[in-house]
């Protein structure tokens, strides 16, 4: 493989850069790395295993008396038959409901769920009419998830894309290790929300607990109410017109626009003081840099 | 002397010097001087430097007249290894060793793919490590673990469904209780993009998982991964060796298919020097305690025990298996098979890294002279992936035939039939930790009758 300088790499497009660095574009069951890197890629549904579903084809699944595995297997089987809208009835706080859905689907859960509801998803639009337990929507890649009532802790842990919305309040550590996408909380959020956040945006219309945004690498947190305290290396930044426009658009989209608008929101970003805390010792720098 | 009287050679030491400090030798003083300037802990790669009780402190007791030996080079000695036998699709390996998780980012693309190809040639598995999947590693690996690590860097459910096994990284032996580190020199645009990080930052991964806190939550998290993978693949928990007996009992209650224990001999691409020296417990103690915990809960044969840390040769492999491991994972030694610390013609170690070949521990700088632990395109050219894959295969194959040699000598026709009874300890410490008798005695330190362990 030919050597590539840093300057040459910077001048390249993402696709060229991945190729130049030796990452092949060879298809691996339908997906290559540079496709995944493309931030403009809107369609994430072109996987060979993704079933073609029709949103107008609707059915119900009664979870009563079924195990989580049986319900999840039912969802997959119905999607394979082309059902694009599936309603889960009587979920009764089941854990891991609707996890691992990797294609388009309208999933409506009539009731409340336990831990890890709709985690590890890539594409579906989900509406849960009740409450959810811990780690709802964890590691979601794309799609939308709407929770009508309250959510437990670690809401949207490590999400990488999509919109995760809770109309009520959520527990602590919301958006921990968040890597992209948007989390919107209509009420309050608990302590350590946005801990080690990397990318994406979190909107809290109510109050935020202690140590908000602790050790965040990057990303943005907007808080409409009071912030109990900011964490290490989380600092307040100016709310620009761009921020206000984005907040207005997003909150209007989900019918969560506060009566007093968005001008009162506080914006929290990374102070970036910890970005290079561990870096090389002076003698190493002499040798290497 | 000219007059013929006998020559008296002067002493080459200073007789007026009272002594040298054992507690504060010059190297410790240098370390204090540097930290007094630096104001923080010092980072490095490699594994621990200090001496601990380890595999050299054990010896085999092969068959003579009391045991029937197996013909060393001819008769069959099975090496097939299964990880996660309860899973719908267990991981079946031809040999008892596989390549452990080392991230793309810590290692170069060439190193990762060479490991994958070498492992596949040898009939064994690899693991993604932190930072997500690189497609070519998956493509070249016939069996591949996808690691679910605290940071979830690059974790993608679309890649999870391609995996043959899912490993939860809960800790590692060389820095138990700490998250991963990747210095800014290695966080290139590409690595940063895979991990959703700003390029060039010093990445310090979290030590806790984001979506579960304790064993009760972990049991539910395991269920979630099983649901997402249709209950097909084995779920493995990787623990740094600390309070091993209690930790493994708790891990068993979480109901995984496999438990991986990383001894304090394990290595790292970057970590605080003191953490590598002063956390964890040695492998021989860890395996024994983990085995006992699994057996006490009646899960032998259902939940596999994988060990990693300080494995250098087939004797170490066989000793770890004899103590109770079902499979062995390798990190450091397969990196050496790639060329780590080798004096290759293209590299000038003293000028490039400030150390002689054989003494390099500078993986954290991203300036690996042999192109293994770097992202620099010019350095990466020093590693030919084709030749490197061949070396990895040769090394894995050699470990296996060496381990078979000991198994046959102990009268075993299956490598996994080795048992603690085949070992003796050369030191009191090794006897106490490994729970095997001191060589030449029936005395196991701390146990009146080792047969009842």
């Amino acid at each position: 493989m030919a050597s590539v300088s840093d300057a040459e790499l910077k001048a390249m497009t993402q696709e060229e850069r991945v190729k130049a660095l030796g990452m092949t574009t060879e298809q691996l069951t339908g997906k290559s790395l540079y496709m995944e890197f493309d931030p403009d890629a809107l369609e994430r549904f072109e996987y060979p295993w993704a079933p073609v579903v029709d949103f107008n084809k609707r059915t119900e699944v009664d979870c009563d008396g079924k195990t989580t595995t049986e319900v999840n297997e039912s969802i997959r089987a119905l999607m394979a038959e082309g059902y694009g809208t599936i309603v889960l009835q009587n979920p009764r706080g089941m854990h891991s409901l609707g996890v691992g859905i990797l294609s388009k689907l309208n999933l409506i859960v009539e009731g409340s769920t336990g831990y890890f509801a709709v985690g590890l998803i890539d594409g579906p639009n989900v509406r849960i009419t009740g409450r959810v337990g811990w780690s709802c929507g964890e590691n979601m890649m794309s799609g939308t998830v709407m929770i009508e009532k309250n959510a437990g802790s670690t809401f949207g842990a490590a999400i990488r894309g999509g919109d995760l919305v809770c109309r009520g309040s959520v527990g602590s550590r919301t958006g921990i290790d968040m890597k992209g996408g948007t989390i919107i909380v209509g009420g309050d959020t608990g302590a350590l929300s946005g801990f080690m956040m990397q990318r994406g945006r979190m909107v809290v219309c109510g109050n935020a607990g202690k140590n908000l945004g602790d050790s965040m690498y990057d990303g943005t947190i907007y808080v409409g109410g009071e912030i109990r305290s900011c964490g290490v290396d989380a600092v307040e930044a100016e709310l620009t017109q761009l921020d206000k426009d984005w907040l207005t658009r997003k909150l209007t989209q989900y019918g969560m626009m506060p009566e007093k608008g968005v001008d009162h929101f506080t914006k929290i970003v990374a102070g970036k003081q910890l970005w290079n805390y561990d870096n090389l010792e002076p003698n190493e720098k002499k040798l290497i840099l | 002397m000219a007059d013929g009287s006998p020559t008296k050679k002067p002493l080459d030491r200073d007789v007026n010097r009272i002594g040298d400090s054992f507690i504060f030798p010059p190297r410790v003083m240098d370390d204090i001087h540097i930290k007094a300037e630096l104001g923080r802990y010092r980072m490095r790669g490699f594994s621990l430097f200090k001496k601990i009780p380890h595999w050299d402190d054990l010896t085999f007791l092969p068959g003579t007249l009391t045991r029937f030996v197996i013909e060393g080079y001819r008769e069959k000695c099975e090496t097939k290894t299964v990880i996660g036998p309860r899973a719908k699709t267990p991981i079946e390996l031809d040999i008892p060793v596989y390549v452990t998780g080392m991230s793309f980012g810590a290692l170069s693309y060439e190193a990762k793919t060479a490991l994958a190809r070498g492992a596949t040639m040898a009939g064994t598995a690899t693991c993604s490590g932190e930072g997500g999947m690189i497609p070519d590693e998956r493509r070249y690996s016939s069996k591949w673990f996808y690691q679910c690590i605290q940071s979830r860097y690059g974790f993608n459910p679309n890649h999870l469904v391609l995996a043959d096994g899912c490993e939860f990284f809960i800790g590692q032996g060389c820095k138990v209780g700490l998250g991963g580190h990747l210095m800014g020199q290695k966080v290139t645009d590409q690595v940063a993009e895979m991990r959703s990080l700003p390029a060039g930052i010093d990445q310090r991964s979290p030590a806790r998982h984001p979506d579960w806190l304790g064993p009760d939550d972990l049991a539910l998290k395991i269920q979630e991964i099983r649901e997402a993978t249709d209950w097909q693949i084995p779920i493995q928990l990787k623990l740094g060796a600390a309070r091993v007996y209690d930790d493994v009992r708790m891990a068993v209650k979480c109901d995984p298919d496999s438990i991986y224990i990383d001894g304090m001999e394990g290595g790292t691409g970057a970590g605080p020097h003191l953490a590598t020296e002063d956390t964890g417990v040695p492998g021989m103690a860890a395996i024994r305690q983990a085995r006992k915990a699994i057996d006490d809960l009646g899960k032998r044969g259902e939940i596999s025990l994988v060990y990693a840390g300080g494995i250098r040769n087939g004797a170490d492999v066989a000793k770890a298996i004899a103590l109770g491991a079902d499979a062995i994972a390798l990190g450091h030694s397969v990196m050496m098979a790639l060329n780590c610390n080798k004096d290759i013609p293209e590299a000038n170690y003293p000028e490039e890294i400030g150390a002689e070949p054989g003494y390099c521990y500078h993986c954290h700088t991203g300036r690996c002279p042999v192109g293994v632990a770097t992202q620099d395109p010019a350095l990466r050219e020093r590693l030919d992936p084709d030749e490197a894959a061949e070396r990895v295969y040769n090394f894995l194959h050699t470990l296996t035939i060496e381990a078979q040699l000991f198994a046959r000598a102990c009268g075993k026709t299956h490598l996994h039939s080795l048992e603690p009874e085949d070992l003796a300890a050369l030191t009191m410490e090794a006897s106490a930790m490994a729970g095997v008798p001191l060589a030449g005695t029936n005395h196991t330190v701390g146990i009146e009758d080792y047969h009842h362990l």
Side-chain angles (χ1 to χ4, degrees), chain A residues 17-263:
Chain A
R17 195 177 300 152
V18 171
K19 285 179 183 169
L21 285 168
M23 309 299 299
T24 72
T25 58
E26 189 166 336
Q27 293 288 304
L28 183 77
T29 54
K31 191 154 189 185
S32 74
L33 200 64
Y34 83 85
M35 283 164 64
E36 185 189 319
F37 281 169
D38 183 357
D40 300 323
L42 296 175
E43 291 294 331
R44 287 181 173 275
F45 314 121
E46 306 302 327
Y47 309 134
W49 57 79
V52 178
V53 296
D54 176 2
F55 289 141
N56 294 318
K57 204 172 166 188
R58 177 187 169 113
T59 186
E60 286 92 31
V61 175
D62 189 349
C63 305
D64 197 19
K66 291 192 173 72
T67 64
T68 301
T69 306
E70 286 168 344
V71 175
N72 287 333
E73 281 174 351
S74 296
I75 294 172
R76 290 195 187 106
L78 290 167
M79 288 169 69
E81 290 174 31
Y83 285 96
T85 301
I86 298 174
V87 182
L88 300 183
Q89 296 163 330
N90 302 310
R92 298 178 191 274
M94 274 181 176
H95 303 308
S96 303
L97 207 58
V99 300
I101 298 170
L102 303 177
S103 55
K104 289 176 183 174
L105 178 71
N106 276 336
L107 182 68
I108 299 159
V109 182
E110 292 181 343
S112 299
T113 67
Y115 279 40
F116 301 108
V118 292
L120 300 163
I121 57 170
D122 192 358
N125 298 319
V126 182
R127 180 167 168 259
I128 298 175
T129 63
R131 294 173 290 276
V132 294
W134 277 31
S135 308
C136 175
E138 68 88 18
N139 217 118
M140 71 181 278
M141 305 292 290
S142 68
T144 59
V145 177
M146 165 67 82
I147 315 299
E148 296 292 350
K149 293 182 179 171
N150 295 334
S153 293
T154 66
F155 183 64
I159 75 164
R160 292 179 66 182
D163 286 359
L164 180 61
V165 185
C166 177
R167 289 197 191 281
S169 291
V170 297
S172 60
R173 287 166 279 133
T174 305
I176 180 172
D177 293 349
M178 185 176 175
K179 293 164 174 60
T182 305
I183 294 176
I184 302 175
V185 177
D188 301 335
T189 188
L192 273 170
S193 293
F195 178 63
M196 294 190 87
M197 183 180 186
Q198 297 170 224
R199 285 184 191 173
R201 294 184 175 101
M202 180 164 26
V203 184
V204 180
C205 296
N207 303 323
K210 285 194 287 188
N211 296 325
L212 180 72
D214 195 290
S215 304
M216 60 193 290
Y217 286 110
D218 214 342
T220 313
I221 305 173
Y222 303 97
V223 181
E226 287 185 6
I227 298 170
R228 183 91 178 269
S229 68
C230 278
V232 174
D233 208 25
V235 296
E236 191 174 333
E238 183 192 356
L239 191 75
T240 64
Q241 192 55 47
L242 207 63
D243 295 315
K244 291 175 189 171
D245 292 346
W246 181 84
L247 279 168
T248 302
R249 194 170 69 248
K250 272 288 175 192
L251 292 173
T252 305
Q253 181 185 344
Y254 291 106
M256 295 168 74
M257 186 68 181
E259 283 182 14
K260 54 183 176 179
V262 296
D263 288 355

Side-chain angles (χ1 to χ4, degrees), chain B residues 174-393:
Chain B
C174 81
K175 44 179 180 177
V176 187
L178 278 74
H181 299 76
L182 193 69
M183 300 300 91
Q185 290 71 32
K186 295 169 102 168
V187 185
T188 59
D189 283 355
Q190 186 187 20
V191 172
E193 193 56 39
M194 280 182 74
R195 299 182 185 215
S196 311
L197 285 167
I201 65 150
D202 295 327
Q203 171 229 296
R204 290 182 290 173
S205 309
R208 286 195 306 267
H209 278 260
D211 49 357
W212 59 270
L213 291 183
D216 292 343
D217 311 339
L218 174 56
L220 296 174
K221 178 70 189 174
I222 290 172
Q223 185 195 27
E224 185 210 19
I225 296 287
R226 285 201 168 119
E227 289 293 330
T229 53
D230 201 20
W231 292 74
Q232 292 291 329
I233 61 174
I235 309 290
Q236 176 162 290
L237 305 184
K238 177 177 177 177
L239 312 174
R243 295 174 184 83
V244 178
Y245 183 75
D246 292 336
D247 285 338
V248 172
R249 280 181 73 98
M250 294 180 101
V252 168
K253 294 299 279 184
C254 296
D255 202 28
D257 299 297
S258 174
I259 295 171
Y260 174 133
I261 293 290
D262 200 14
M264 76 182 293
E265 301 93 327
T268 180
H273 164 65
L274 277 191
T276 64
E277 296 293 290
D278 293 305
T279 61
V281 298
M284 69 170 76
I287 295 175
R288 211 67 165 112
Q289 296 227 314
R291 182 77 267 162
K292 185 170 181 344
I294 292 171
D295 293 354
D296 284 355
L297 292 169
K299 296 293 182 182
R300 179 182 277 261
E302 293 181 33
I303 297 179
S304 305
L305 175 61
V306 177
Y307 173 75
I311 300 291
R312 305 156 298 177
N313 53 44
D316 295 350
V317 170
K319 287 170 185 173
I321 289 173
L323 289 179
D326 294 314
I328 307 297
L330 304 168
H332 228 142
S333 53
V334 283
M335 279 178 66
M336 286 167 198
L338 287 175
N339 264 357
C340 165
N341 265 296
K342 189 174 182 183
D343 189 12
I344 60 170
E346 302 93 320
N348 184 336
Y349 278 68
E351 275 188 20
E352 292 173 357
I353 207 75
E356 293 290 339
Y359 296 92
C360 179
Y361 54 81
H362 298 279
C363 329
H364 66 297
T365 64
R367 305 298 303 168
C368 177
V370 292
V372 172
T374 181
Q375 297 301 315
D376 183 277
L379 294 173
R380 286 166 49 200
E381 280 192 10
R382 296 179 183 178
L383 183 69
D384 181 328
D386 296 335
E387 292 173 7
E390 197 76 31
R391 289 196 299 274
V392 170
Y393 161 72

